[in-house]
Amino acid sequence: MERRRYLVAYDITNDRRLREVYREMLGWGTRLQYSVYLCDLTRPELIKLRRKLLELIDRDDDSVAIFDLGVPASSRAVVPEILGRPPTLPRQGPAIY
Amino acid sequence: MISREDRTIPREAAAEPGPEPEPAPLLPARMVNEFVYCPRLFYLEWVRGLWADNDDTAEGTDLHRRVDTPAGTAPEPGPGVRQVARAFELSSETLGVTAKIDLVEFLDDAARPVDYKRGRPAPTPARVWEPEQVQLAIQALLLREAGYQCREGVIYFAETGERVTVPITPELEQQTLAAIARARETAGQPDAPPPLVDSPKCPACALVGYCMPDELNLLLHRRTARPRTLITREPAARPLYLIGYGTQLRKDGNHFIVAPRDGEPTRIRPIDISHVAAFGTVTISTSALHALLAQETPIAWLTRGGRFLGLTSGLMGKNIQLRRRQFTLTEPEALELARTFVIAKIRNQRTLLRRNSRFEIGRTLEGLADAVARARLAPDSDTLRGIEGYAARLYFNAFPAMLRRDLPFTPGDLFRGRNRRPPRDPVNALLSFAYTLLTKDLTVQAQLIGFDPYWGFYHRPKFGRPALALDLAEEFRPLIADSVVITALNNGEITSAHVRRIGAGYTLTDDGRRTFLRVYERRLEQEITHPRFRYRLSYRRLLDLQPRFLAAVLLGELPAYQGFETR
Ligand code: SF4
């Protein structure tokens, strides 16, 4: 299943929930900036992430925004222009250590 | 992708005391729904125990989590009651079915099941597809058997928020009883129903990757057009190789950390790991091990030098029929398979030589063609082994013809014919390592599909030797392993600095292994056009496809195995 790249940004009003969401996000994406992540996900993976986040946040006070940036390797993918410190982008391919 | 978390485990029939025969397990209404959608899908899920997430099922599970929490109590049947119950379970021995009803509305004089569906109503007059109607009718029949009146059911479509009422007519009832009976009968058959031909249902089917409807139908001549692109050509996850001495893999929260002995720790997402290959003295923490097993990610263990030791994986799949067939194959059937493996290998060796040789090797090519002809007639597997050995000698004698003359290795020391344990020259060290990687990949794959990787048809079982994976590896040795060795050397990616001499043998340095792994993995990513299906796919996908075809052959879905050969 093909993965698309999503930009996930959140605004959490409570410290405990903020920590929980932060820890959750580490399993799904690469941190771009505080509370902003890039996640390469298949659709079922996106649905699971969404479900996890909904369980963690307080729907009245917190919010999460998810932007679809397209297929990473394709020409139509949205590439953010970053000024300053270069971002870490999600890696693809085998991991050899 | 298989997700154990979301798998619905078929309910076991309650154990009956006494000598009565055990009743067949009750069919969940959801399974009858699958049967009406596609009998093969039903069989793969219910009998073979396969399950996979796709968009539909993931979203469906998401939706059902909200309605699956039992709540409310059912009132005594009778007039005047108005109440609802969620996740309401009913079973019937008489009907042989069971159902968990999302919601039951108890009216004054009747009960009304409500089923939650994602998506929108069907663009047909009934506004509901037949499988959903049948599922609802089963729920209605169960409610009736429990003593309620039930004249209609409702499907609630989450996407549009619409409620569609489905009257439970005598016709629908008949249709439903017939579907239950046919589903039972199908479940009792030894073979799965054949795939649907050209069905628009397949693209949306969660099991399309296992079923391979268009590929099987093409090979069975039930379809002539080339297969649609139904199966993703590329799995999203990749292997994680742990090579460095003392490298640690541990779990932190819901992600993994790889910590080399000296170097920065790196975060790894669980969803990125297809399997772990652990070389030598690496440490995998218990919590990491648990997490890997829980997400059904196997771990291949190898010595630092690259000898394959074994595989750690979760519980074996429910695909018992396949393993049973694997062990009960007759001698002639096993010989036929062995013949196919050997012929495909020799032909691929020949193609590789023909394409890459820098000298005139006509005699060798002739000899290999001759070996193929003799292999076709080999009366037993010992003869076949003899022919294979002869072909291998011819092939490896000509092997240096595929290498650049000016490689920066001591000439004469580079390759002295095929030898192993220990490899006595750099080329043999690379070949051995490449074969290990290939065997590792095919062991993982065979195990995932539900084979016992240790029982083969050509290679004899020996302690700790994945004989089936070695069988499957034959056709890929020239295509993947040998070709990677040639590329790595000719491109200058592997140099004399990557090879070390230890005693009588040669071995790769850690850096050499890493470099070689990158070339190997690059090869797996490479796409080729499938000669029969005429679509493009990667070698990685091919390593998944061929074992699946072998499984289809064992399960009687395909008449004969065909080795993969490039032109
Ligand atoms: S892919 Fe098609 S034929 Fe195969 S199980 Fe699914 S719906 Fe049935």
Side-chain angles (χ1 to χ4, degrees):
Chain A
M1 217 162 289
E2 191 165 51
R3 282 191 170 147
R4 300 177 71 84
R5 180 162 295 171
Y6 299 91
L7 187 137
V8 180
Y10 52 76
D11 196 358
I12 310 287
T13 54
N14 161 295
D15 279 351
R16 185 184 52 80
R17 288 200 304 275
L18 180 64
R19 229 176 6 256
E20 281 172 5
V21 170
Y22 162 73
R23 282 179 72 77
E24 185 62 39
M25 285 308 297
L26 289 181
W28 299 90
T30 303
R31 195 174 186 180
L32 193 64
Q33 287 169 352
Y34 285 111
S35 308
V36 180
Y37 291 74
L38 288 176
C39 309
D40 289 0
L41 306 168
T42 64
R43 200 161 159 75
E45 286 163 357
L46 172 69
I47 292 164
K48 277 193 194 135
L49 170 61
R50 226 193 253 147
R51 189 159 82 202
K52 284 272 164 54
L53 290 173
L54 278 175
E55 279 166 15
L56 294 178
I57 64 170
D58 179 327
R59 298 189 201 188
D60 293 331
D61 289 340
D62 308 334
S63 77
V64 179
I66 301 176
F67 303 86
D68 182 348
L69 305 185
V71 178
S74 82
S75 54
R76 281 210 236 122
V78 179
V79 183
E81 182 189 345
I82 310 253
L83 309 178
R85 182 172 50 82
T88 323
L89 294 177
R91 285 183 346 109
Q92 279 163 343
I96 301 172
Y97 293 95
Chain B
M1 180 179 25
I2 305 173
S3 155
R4 171 154 290 163
E5 175 197 356
D6 295 336
R7 181 180 298 172
T8 311
I9 295 157
R11 175 195 291 251
E12 293 294 326
E16 296 254 343
E20 276 170 52
E22 225 183 288
L26 298 176
L27 279 179
R30 199 178 55 77
M31 278 296 156
V32 183
N33 170 329
E34 304 283 48
F35 177 82
V36 177
Y37 185 80
C38 168
R40 180 172 170 84
L41 176 63
F42 159 78
Y43 192 93
L44 297 183
E45 286 190 358
W46 179 245
V47 182
R48 296 222 192 126
L50 298 177
W51 179 257
D53 251 357
N54 70 353
D55 301 4
D56 278 3
T57 57
E59 242 158 272
T61 314
D62 196 25
L63 175 65
H64 278 98
R65 273 166 76 100
R66 273 181 275 143
V67 291
D68 269 1
T69 327
T73 41
E76 285 302 310
V81 191
R82 276 187 163 273
Q83 214 169 330
V84 298
R86 283 171 205 283
F88 191 59
E89 288 187 55
L90 284 174
S91 313
S92 158
E93 293 289 340
T94 336
L95 292 166
V97 288
T98 170
K100 190 169 179 183
I101 312 176
D102 291 339
L103 183 77
V104 183
E105 297 174 337
F106 296 98
L107 315 170
D108 286 340
D109 62 338
R112 185 161 59 195
V114 181
D115 210 27
Y116 285 61
K117 294 281 167 215
R118 66 183 283 267
R120 45 182 63 242
T124 59
R127 312 203 66 212
V128 178
W129 299 110
E130 195 193 345
E132 277 78 42
Q133 288 182 25
V134 167
Q135 186 175 353
L136 209 53
I138 292 180
Q139 301 178 349
L141 292 180
L142 285 168
L143 282 166
R144 280 185 197 166
E145 206 188 84
Y148 300 98
Q149 284 212 46
C150 187
R151 295 176 295 267
E152 59 186 25
V154 168
I155 305 245
Y156 172 77
F157 288 95
E159 190 184 324
T160 58
E162 284 171 90
R163 283 169 67 103
V164 177
T165 304
V166 178
I168 311 297
T169 60
E171 296 81 63
L172 178 58
E173 200 180 319
Q174 284 315 312
Q175 192 187 339
T176 302
L177 292 175
I180 296 173
R182 275 185 291 124
R184 284 208 159 282
E185 196 193 324
T186 304
Q189 307 280 328
D191 299 330
L196 304 175
V197 179
D198 287 334
S199 169
K201 292 175 182 176
C202 298
C205 172
L207 286 186
V208 67
Y210 296 92
C211 172
M212 305 185 295
D214 289 7
E215 286 82 357
L216 284 192
N217 284 331
L218 185 87
L219 294 174
L220 290 169
H221 309 290
R222 296 170 82 224
R223 155 191 192 101
T224 47
R226 74 183 229 190
R228 295 166 285 179
T229 313
L230 296 182
I231 308 169
T232 10
R233 306 275 168 247
E234 269 306 297
R238 292 281 180 277
L240 165 64
Y241 290 96
L242 304 174
I243 295 173
Y245 176 77
T247 297
Q248 274 190 13
L249 178 69
R250 50 172 204 266
K251 182 120 188 296
D252 182 4
N254 62 349
H255 60 270
F256 292 102
I257 306 252
V258 183
R261 210 140 190 245
D262 30 43
E264 283 294 294
T266 318
R267 192 160 52 82
I268 305 258
R269 303 191 304 168
I271 51 175
D272 280 336
I273 311 176
S274 62
H275 67 259
V276 178
F279 288 78
T281 331
V282 300
T283 309
I284 299 184
S285 76
T286 307
S287 56
L289 194 62
H290 283 202
L292 289 169
L293 295 182
Q295 63 168 36
E296 300 191 31
T297 303
I299 302 147
W301 303 93
L302 304 98
T303 63
R304 188 160 185 224
R307 196 156 49 80
F308 185 41
L309 294 171
L311 193 68
T312 300
S313 63
L315 302 171
M316 280 185 141
K318 217 180 108 183
N319 207 345
I320 303 155
Q321 279 303 329
L322 178 59
R323 287 202 291 281
R324 207 174 76 93
R325 275 294 288 156
Q326 203 184 336
F327 291 111
T328 53
L329 216 64
T330 63
E331 274 293 320
E333 286 171 321
L335 176 64
E336 235 10 81
L337 286 177
R339 200 193 302 284
T340 321
F341 301 143
V342 170
I343 289 175
K345 174 188 179 180
I346 304 178
R347 288 174 58 103
N348 285 335
Q349 287 175 328
R350 191 171 179 277
T351 308
L352 194 71
L353 275 180
R354 188 167 48 75
R355 283 214 199 131
N356 296 300
S357 178
R358 290 148 198 260
F359 317 121
E360 173 52 40
I361 45 150
R363 294 275 300 280
T364 307
L365 295 181
E366 266 168 44
L368 290 175
D370 178 52
V372 170
R374 282 193 294 135
R376 286 196 204 288
L377 303 171
D380 52 55
S381 55
D382 279 338
T383 315
L384 202 55
R385 259 181 273 279
I387 297 166
E388 188 214 338
Y390 164 78
R393 273 191 302 281
L394 278 182
Y395 169 73
F396 281 114
N397 281 341
F399 196 88
M402 295 189 281
L403 297 173
R404 249 172 48 196
R405 293 298 294 278
D406 55 341
L407 289 174
F409 286 93
T410 328
D413 275 354
L414 189 58
F415 186 64
R416 312 162 164 200
R418 177 73 184 128
N419 57 57
R420 58 213 110 184
R421 267 182 299 242
R424 282 193 295 279
D425 54 64
V427 170
N428 273 293
L430 290 171
L431 284 172
S432 292
F433 190 51
Y435 296 152
T436 304
L437 295 176
L438 190 57
T439 309
K440 178 244 339 164
D441 280 343
L442 284 162
T443 307
V444 168
Q445 220 52 47
Q447 157 92 23
L448 275 180
I449 294 171
F451 282 110
D452 182 332
Y454 296 95
W455 184 264
F457 308 115
Y458 178 54
H459 289 84
R460 296 204 183 91
K462 227 200 266 174
F463 178 75
R465 191 165 86 148
L468 183 76
L470 292 169
D471 285 0
L472 284 164
E474 292 293 5
E475 64 197 75
F476 292 114
R477 282 171 188 255
L479 290 182
I480 295 178
D482 300 353
S483 123
V484 171
V485 172
I486 294 164
T487 309
L489 286 169
N490 284 353
N491 281 357
E493 286 168 280
I494 290 286
T495 66
S496 47
H498 291 127
V499 190
R500 245 182 330 146
R501 187 183 184 131
I502 298 181
Y506 281 81
T507 176
L508 294 169
T509 63
D510 277 0
D511 193 33
R513 268 188 266 281
R514 285 198 187 89
T515 308
F516 189 78
L517 270 169
R518 276 191 282 274
V519 189
Y520 175 80
E521 287 287 327
R522 202 172 65 210
R523 178 68 172 172
L524 293 189
E525 306 276 309
Q526 205 168 321
E527 290 202 334
I528 36 160
T529 301
H530 196 288
R532 291 186 72 87
F533 305 142
R534 282 176 287 143
Y535 54 52
R536 289 185 75 70
L537 82 177
S538 66
Y539 277 106
R540 198 189 301 280
R541 174 73 190 148
L542 206 55
L543 288 181
D544 176 50
L545 210 55
Q546 287 297 99
R548 287 191 195 281
F549 285 133
L550 181 64
V553 173
L554 293 195
L555 292 167
E557 300 186 339
L558 275 182
Y561 183 74
Q562 293 176 349
F564 181 85
E565 292 172 17
T566 44
R567 299 222 164 112

